[in-house]
Amino acid sequence: MFDKYIICEDGFRTRGDGRPGGELDVRMPYYRGLFLSMVEVVDLTLDGRPVPPGRTAFTVHGTTYTFAELPHVTDDRWEMGERAVLSFETDQPLGPGEHDVAVSVRLRISYMPVPGGGRDHKRLRLESSGGGTAA
């Protein structure tokens, strides 16, 4: 239902720390907020290549977590409509121009017998200045 809103079209940029890779803003594909321990995974595929979870991090409310840490975070929430930052490392710097970005979010929801979540795919433009927009 909210799949098409996962990837924020205006949040694609190079990393702020100078390392090769990027950042994009993502939203939860669910109608309620959840504790971060309920966010099982946020998988990223960039230009057809999966980015290993160990090379990604998740930032909400200014606090950055690895996906190995999330199962233990019971005092922070990701609210519906709230933007979180998915940062990722790559071997080479991202070049300006269009990139295929796919994100899959898997959520553990107490009353659902199967994992919840969703998938989104967009073609985003990375500007040479670091900001991005949908292509």
Side-chain angles (χ1 to χ4, degrees):
M1 173 172 19
F2 299 108
D3 289 16
K4 67 182 180 178
Y5 302 111
I6 294 173
I7 299 172
C8 300
E9 296 175 353
D10 61 346
F12 188 46
R13 57 202 173 272
T14 56
R15 291 178 63 106
D17 61 9
R19 295 188 309 208
E23 299 176 338
L24 64 142
D25 293 348
V26 294
R27 292 186 197 98
M28 180 184 300
Y30 186 57
Y31 70 96
R32 296 176 63 180
L34 292 173
F35 285 102
L36 295 180
S37 62
M38 307 290 278
V39 179
E40 289 189 350
V41 72
V42 180
D43 286 325
L44 171 65
T45 302
L46 179 67
D47 295 326
R49 292 185 174 143
V51 176
R55 298 190 81 183
T56 62
F58 186 78
T59 303
V60 65
H61 308 124
T63 303
T64 301
Y65 303 95
T66 66
F67 285 97
E69 294 171 319
L70 284 185
H72 309 289
V73 181
T74 58
D75 60 350
D76 203 353
R77 292 174 57 90
W78 188 17
E79 300 297 339
M80 186 222 178
E82 180 179 21
R83 289 179 180 222
V85 176
L86 182 64
S87 58
F88 59 94
E89 293 181 36
T90 56
D91 293 330
Q92 300 295 323
L94 293 178
E98 293 185 350
H99 295 273
D100 283 315
V101 178
V103 172
S104 174
V105 179
R106 192 170 64 233
L107 306 169
R108 189 173 49 257
I109 301 168
S110 61
Y111 60 85
M112 293 179 72
V114 296
R119 299 174 184 272
D120 191 6
H121 175 267
K122 290 188 172 68
R123 189 146 180 89
L124 302 179
R125 178 177 299 281
L126 183 68
E127 303 297 337
S128 58
S129 63
T133 59

